Amino acid sequence: MTSQARNQDTAALDSQGANTQVYSWVAARPAPKRIEKANTLLVKFWKFITTHPLDALLSVGVALLALQFLMLALNWGVIHAVFQIDEAACQNARGEGACWGVIGEKFRLILWGRFPFEEQWRSATACVLTLTMLALSVNKIVWTPSNRPFTLGAWCFSVVGFHTLMSGSLFGLSFLQIWPHVDTELWGGLPLTLILSLGSIALATPMGILLALGRTSEMPIIRSICVLYIELVRGVPLISVLFMASFMFPLLLPSLQTPDVLIRVLLGITLFSAAYTAEVVRGGLQAVDQGQQEASQSLNLGYWQTQRYVILPQALTHIIPGMVNNFIAIFKDTSLVTIVSLYELTGSLGLALNGDANWRAYKLEGYLFIAAIYFFFCFTLSQISQNLENRLTKR
Amino acid sequence: MIPGNETLIEFKNVNKWYGNFHALKDINLRVHQGERVIICGPSGSGKSTLIRCVNALESFQEGELIVNGHALAENLKAIQAIRKDVGMVFQQFNLFPHLTVLENLTLAPQKTQGLTQAQAQDTAFKELKRVHISEQAHKYPSQLSGGQQQRVAIARALCMKPKIMLFDEPTSALDPEMVQEVLDVMIDLASEGMTMLCVTHEMGFARSVASRVILMDQGQMIEEAAPETFFNSPQQERTKAFLSALHRP
């Protein structure tokens, strides 16, 4: 089109004036419809077999294998299993059926470890207290700004309560003794697993956040210290950290009174997992747009205010899956403390069965029992994280 | 409104390098109270760097920069004193996505000026009304259009009661039909006597509100003139080339 022609066109349009209808109405195309074929399951199945014979064959093979396995499990776990606490019956069923009686016989040792038998109600109460607090804390109502102080207060109370129940005295002070004293070395089973995992999660998370902030900081000395710490700790296996915490640490500080072995191990796990947490958090920090920082600066928010109110809320939302991964790993890693003579769930199972020749043979059943407990906690944790994620990312 | 005599921003021989790249070359610029200074120029010419120096989002190596009586130095106190009086609006809005519009507006006044929540919300609603968006106060930024988001960003900066407003290409990330609603808010602001330093490519806006227009290229201020002179009889060849490039269809 020549420029002259274009000018004429424009002139023609102009002369029509602003009110003239330039566009005409076009009927919308109807939305496409999905054609639903009224196929029964059987017809679909037949079609699948005829069109994909090899796939069908494989499916049948796998289904048969699965069925076989299921039947074996059912046979062993239910049909031929012994449910009553009857050692002779278990002996007869050996090789054919499970002996669930072992759990009935030993569950108190497995769940509460070496805790004195008469005082085991205290372990149980401590666990119920902790689990109740956890269940309550999942509700978002308890975290609204007005309720938050009460929730945190309740947590402080339950930590003190937990310690009082387990040790027998308030704050561990002998003149505030309520029940017979139980040394931390005798704490075991589920309460130990809970205190080690929850304690190190609660301590490692803030520490990991600080390490991540340090590693992304512009201050070279702080950055180097954080990098050094993270790389050093990540390069060491947890078992060696635990050995150091329980055996080396008292050797290094012979003159001072060394803290309790439980505290040392708890700190060991905390220091260890903080390094992992830090790297997860750093990933989240890097995912937050640089503009957020600049906007905060332009609004005169200081460094900590910026992190607290702008950067971290966004970063932590991004990393919920990674953090929960970490939490689950910590929860299961607590089983390693057995090697330093703390008998948490896994350790106390060994304790319960190894020493008793009559029941020693039924370890598999015992392991399945504690596996179910571990699974319950880990699965619950992942469900909570998914709820949290859905709630926070729906904006 | 007649510009006052008070100098709010003064660049004295400011030089900045990114490594070997000379980003700002001998910048000398005074902005008086109530003036609207528009900076334009090709991309990479240093105009964003220039205005980001004003509230210390960028540092510079040589020269002196005095903002509202405070000499800008690598000193946290001075930087905070300056940022208290300087609001900024970004090309990408940079709203806080995890906070509602209202929370975006009230966060900084509460945390930096010690306002109560009620006071901060009071101010926030006034500023939201000014940018014609008060009905959106409880939405999240992602639920707003680009133009609305940028107006919220302007309101957020205004909640801090700044003496100077910096605009860094405020309409460049917007759909064409949303540009005007943002410009209208800026024109309102200009008519109320706000001191504005603005990087933009909206030449119509520049023509109507600017006290002065500056062309930057390769880190230098090429031409600085009143809008009539700048657009109708530019002195520099570079300016002529830039303007004719803008007018080419």
Side-chain angles (χ1 to χ4, degrees):
Chain A
M1 199 190 265
T2 64
S3 77
Q4 205 178 359
R6 189 163 53 208
N7 283 343
Q8 280 169 0
D9 265 14
T10 329
L13 263 176
D14 284 348
S15 69
Q16 286 176 344
N19 293 331
T20 321
Q21 186 88 37
V22 180
Y23 305 104
S24 62
W25 187 76
V26 178
R29 185 170 58 87
K33 269 188 200 145
R34 180 191 293 274
I35 301 166
E36 293 286 351
K37 282 191 189 148
N39 278 347
T40 62
L41 200 65
L42 209 66
V43 173
K44 275 185 190 165
F45 189 58
W46 179 246
K47 238 180 148 179
F48 179 72
I49 291 174
T50 47
T51 49
H52 305 86
L54 192 63
D55 294 4
L57 206 66
L58 275 172
S59 306
V60 171
V62 169
L64 283 177
L65 268 176
L67 202 67
Q68 180 75 9
F69 181 77
L70 198 72
M71 288 310 292
L72 275 176
L74 213 63
N75 254 327
W76 180 80
V78 183
I79 297 170
H80 295 289
V82 178
F83 288 92
Q84 58 276 55
I85 307 169
D86 182 345
E87 196 211 317
C90 278
Q91 199 63 40
N92 280 336
R94 264 187 85 172
E96 280 164 38
C99 170
W100 298 116
V102 69
I103 290 157
E105 170 76 15
K106 297 289 183 188
F107 81 95
R108 287 182 67 165
L109 250 174
I110 297 172
L111 283 180
W112 320 124
R114 294 192 292 166
F115 210 81
F117 198 77
E118 276 71 44
E119 305 293 330
Q120 282 178 355
W121 64 271
R122 280 156 54 184
S123 279
T125 316
C127 283
V128 169
L129 177 71
T130 314
L131 295 181
T132 313
M133 280 308 292
L134 276 179
L136 286 177
S137 303
V138 173
N139 272 308
K140 64 175 177 181
I141 312 159
V142 303
W143 295 112
T144 58
S146 51
N147 290 341
R148 203 177 296 152
F150 296 106
T151 309
L152 292 176
W155 265 110
C156 290
F157 267 114
S158 39
V159 168
V160 172
F162 186 96
H163 185 261
T164 310
L165 277 164
M166 293 298 284
S167 73
S169 54
L170 204 54
F171 304 115
L173 298 169
S174 52
F175 59 92
L176 293 172
Q177 187 114 21
I178 304 169
W179 299 292
H181 175 74
V182 178
D183 210 50
T184 45
E185 279 179 21
L186 297 179
W187 298 11
L190 188 59
L192 188 61
T193 297
L194 286 179
I195 193 176
L196 284 176
S197 49
L198 293 179
S200 47
I201 285 170
L203 295 172
T205 305
M207 186 177 167
I209 290 173
L210 288 179
L211 279 170
L213 289 175
R215 191 167 184 170
T216 51
S217 129
E218 285 168 9
M219 285 176 276
I221 294 177
I222 291 182
R223 192 174 56 225
S224 328
I225 292 173
C226 292
V227 171
L228 192 71
Y229 178 86
I230 292 168
E231 297 304 336
L232 211 63
V233 171
R234 283 201 306 172
V236 177
L238 178 58
I239 290 193
S240 66
V241 174
L242 292 176
F243 268 123
M244 276 193 272
S246 80
F247 301 130
M248 301 273 286
F249 193 67
L251 292 180
L252 293 176
L253 294 170
S255 54
L256 297 166
Q257 193 182 358
T258 49
D260 190 277
V261 65
L262 179 64
I263 306 262
R264 296 200 306 265
V265 165
L266 181 61
L267 283 181
I269 300 177
T270 300
L271 296 178
F272 181 81
S273 37
Y276 287 84
T277 310
E279 286 298 272
V280 177
V281 175
R282 187 165 69 97
L285 292 176
Q286 282 171 352
V288 178
D289 188 74
Q290 181 66 30
Q292 296 289 309
Q293 178 115 20
E294 290 176 358
S296 311
Q297 285 176 351
S298 78
L299 290 166
N300 208 7
L301 290 166
Y303 175 79
W304 291 108
Q305 289 174 326
T306 303
Q307 303 303 331
R308 164 77 182 78
Y309 299 109
V310 179
I311 308 295
L312 282 175
Q314 298 180 55
L316 295 181
T317 312
H318 293 315
I319 58 169
I320 290 172
M323 287 294 264
V324 171
N325 227 356
N326 228 358
F327 293 166
I328 289 177
I330 294 175
F331 186 78
K332 292 187 296 188
D333 280 353
T334 55
S335 55
L336 287 173
V337 301
T338 305
I339 58 142
V340 294
S341 305
L342 285 175
Y343 296 98
E344 46 61 69
L345 218 40
T346 315
S348 60
L349 175 76
L351 211 60
L353 298 189
N354 287 345
D356 190 338
N358 293 337
W359 296 100
R360 197 181 292 160
Y362 311 107
K363 265 196 172 163
L364 179 57
E365 290 84 341
Y367 276 119
L368 285 173
F369 175 60
I370 60 167
I373 297 178
Y374 278 111
F375 179 78
F376 167 77
F377 281 103
C378 296
F379 187 70
T380 310
L381 207 56
S382 85
Q383 288 301 305
I384 292 171
S385 86
Q386 246 158 51
N387 286 345
L388 198 65
E389 216 179 316
N390 289 341
R391 207 170 76 214
L392 291 176
T393 52
K394 69 167 181 247
R395 287 166 195 159
Chain B
M1 186 158 180
I2 304 147
N5 287 327
E6 197 187 341
T7 305
L8 284 187
I9 305 172
E10 186 170 10
F11 284 84
K12 288 182 189 165
N13 288 315
V14 168
N15 278 283
K16 177 178 175 64
W17 288 266
Y18 288 111
N20 286 327
F21 180 70
H22 202 166
L24 294 177
K25 295 176 189 160
D26 288 323
I27 301 295
N28 282 292
L29 171 67
R30 267 166 181 265
V31 179
H32 299 280
Q33 190 183 5
E35 268 193 315
R36 282 90 52 195
V37 176
I38 307 280
I39 306 171
C40 54
S43 62
S45 60
K47 44 196 199 308
S48 283
T49 309
L50 178 78
I51 77 163
R52 286 160 61 90
C53 280
V54 175
N55 66 348
L57 288 184
E58 300 278 355
S59 58
F60 51 88
Q61 283 84 12
E62 271 179 23
E64 212 180 330
L65 173 54
I66 301 164
V67 181
N68 195 27
H70 299 283
L72 200 79
E74 288 290 334
N75 171 339
L76 218 56
K77 276 270 155 55
I79 289 178
Q80 285 189 341
I82 287 169
R83 284 182 181 159
K84 199 160 71 68
D85 295 317
V86 180
M88 186 160 193
V89 175
F90 299 87
Q91 181 176 359
Q92 299 294 342
F93 328 139
N94 292 349
L95 293 176
F96 305 137
H98 60 300
L99 301 178
T100 63
V101 166
L102 191 60
E103 289 164 342
N104 262 281
L105 267 63
T106 55
L107 175 67
Q110 282 184 76
K111 300 302 170 194
T112 66
Q113 300 178 342
L115 264 59
T116 66
Q117 194 183 21
Q119 289 169 324
Q121 289 189 352
D122 215 39
T123 319
F125 274 112
K126 268 180 210 152
E127 297 302 341
L128 282 176
K129 199 167 278 176
R130 191 205 310 233
V131 299
H132 315 294
I133 206 166
S134 36
E135 71 283 0
Q136 314 279 14
H138 297 287
K139 286 191 178 169
Y140 284 96
S142 59
Q143 296 169 306
L144 305 181
S145 73
Q148 289 172 324
Q149 288 190 48
Q150 192 61 297
R151 284 186 282 151
V152 171
I154 294 174
R156 180 175 70 176
L158 291 175
C159 278
M160 298 291 286
K161 311 263 183 238
K163 288 187 178 172
I164 303 162
M165 283 287 282
L166 307 174
F167 292 87
D168 190 1
E169 305 203 27
T171 57
S172 300
L174 294 174
D175 285 351
E177 54 201 14
M178 294 173 182
V179 168
Q180 199 53 47
E181 65 184 59
V182 172
L183 291 181
D184 286 343
V185 168
M186 290 168 67
I187 291 168
D188 279 353
L189 208 56
S191 69
E192 287 165 28
M194 177 62 78
T195 309
M196 292 161 67
L197 190 55
C198 181
V199 172
T200 184
H201 295 124
E202 295 296 328
M203 289 304 132
F205 171 75
R207 215 185 266 270
S208 64
V209 308
S211 321
R212 272 181 292 152
V213 184
I214 293 169
L215 179 80
M216 283 194 73
D217 191 24
Q218 297 178 356
Q220 279 176 307
M221 285 170 52
I222 303 288
E223 180 148 9
E224 178 180 0
E228 310 86 65
T229 326
F230 185 90
F231 289 110
N232 300 332
S233 49
Q235 303 298 304
Q236 305 291 331
E237 283 309 313
R238 185 68 189 86
T239 315
K240 288 175 193 164
F242 179 74
L243 289 174
S244 71
L246 278 184
H247 292 140
R248 212 173 292 143

